[in-house]
Amino acid sequence: MTILSTFDAHNPDTALTVTDDPAEIGKLLENKGIRFERWLTQDLPAGAAPEQILEAYSAEIAKLKSESGFQTADVVSLNPDNLQKKAFRQKFLDEHTHSEDEVRFFVRGQGIFYLHLGSQVFAVQCQKNDLISVPKGTKHWFDMGPEPEFTCIRLFTNPEGWVADFTGEDIAGRLPRFEALEGAAL
């Protein structure tokens, strides 16, 4: 289930808002300039190759490319048995920005995008069927949890792919991590 929790960036001990209503999540994020949609997923075999996934979603990818000028799409997938899972998690845990929109469509599994928007942080626990687009220049980070299990389609305008500009701020370390928010009680 997709869950949005909001926090005061200066006092992040308690969530200000927690909702699992997709319409409310979409509205709250849209008000902050964040694109959030629920898409239907395809029935793909377990362990489908990236090429199969990209082919299954070729129409959706083409639409996003034409709307926003994306040049490339790829698939990122992590499982709990990945020997590099700790390093991969750490790579995305610090607050950063990008010079392009960061678009992810969750084909399988889950992860939490933390969006630092002014004096608030929006923690969006994305699940299978969720599309999120974080606008360029938005301070954010991503937590896949200690036992990552997800597959996402990523779209880029920069052919180099994922390039981050880290802010050097410690805010990501002051907010509840994936383990505390996963399936947060409503």
Side-chain angles (χ1 to χ4, degrees):
M1 151 185 359
T2 305
I3 299 171
L4 171 65
S5 303
T6 63
F7 297 88
D8 180 323
H10 304 290
N11 185 14
D13 296 331
T14 305
L16 303 172
T17 306
V18 179
T19 182
D20 65 354
D21 178 351
E24 185 177 359
I25 292 170
K27 182 178 175 184
L28 289 168
L29 292 174
E30 181 181 24
N31 288 340
K32 297 293 185 176
I34 309 297
R35 181 177 181 171
F36 175 82
E37 298 173 3
R38 302 272 300 154
W39 287 8
L40 294 177
T41 50
Q42 307 282 334
D43 285 329
L44 295 170
E51 298 79 19
Q52 288 175 290
I53 295 169
L54 292 173
E55 177 60 32
Y57 294 97
S58 60
E60 292 88 346
I61 291 168
K63 181 180 180 218
L64 287 171
K65 283 182 173 182
S66 70
E67 288 175 1
S68 303
F70 294 112
Q71 301 297 310
T72 62
D74 72 6
V75 175
V76 62
S77 187
L78 276 169
N79 294 306
D81 60 353
N82 187 306
L83 299 178
Q84 299 297 315
K85 66 185 175 188
K86 187 174 182 178
F88 279 118
R89 182 184 191 194
Q90 191 59 48
K91 178 179 178 178
F92 303 107
L93 276 179
D94 290 325
E95 184 182 73
H96 59 275
T97 63
H98 300 287
S99 61
E100 63 179 328
D101 292 356
E102 181 169 356
V103 178
R104 301 290 181 267
F105 172 59
F106 283 77
V107 174
R108 172 185 72 83
Q110 65 182 347
I112 300 176
F113 273 93
Y114 293 80
L115 312 167
H116 186 181
L117 306 170
S119 64
Q120 290 188 315
V121 175
F122 287 61
V124 187
Q125 183 178 336
C126 293
Q127 301 278 335
K128 176 181 175 179
N129 299 343
D130 289 343
L131 173 101
I132 189 166
S133 179
V134 179
K136 68 180 179 180
T138 301
K139 295 177 184 178
H140 69 282
W141 61 98
F142 178 72
D143 190 351
M144 62 187 72
E147 299 295 322
E149 186 149 2
F150 69 91
T151 299
C152 288
I153 296 174
R154 308 183 302 175
L155 289 108
F156 301 100
T157 53
N158 181 346
E160 294 177 39
W162 192 86
V163 178
D165 182 20
F166 291 93
T167 67
E169 298 294 325
D170 69 348
I171 188 168
R174 290 183 276 131
L175 263 75
R177 295 259 192 237
F178 181 95
E179 301 87 325
L181 293 181
E182 181 185 19
L186 301 177

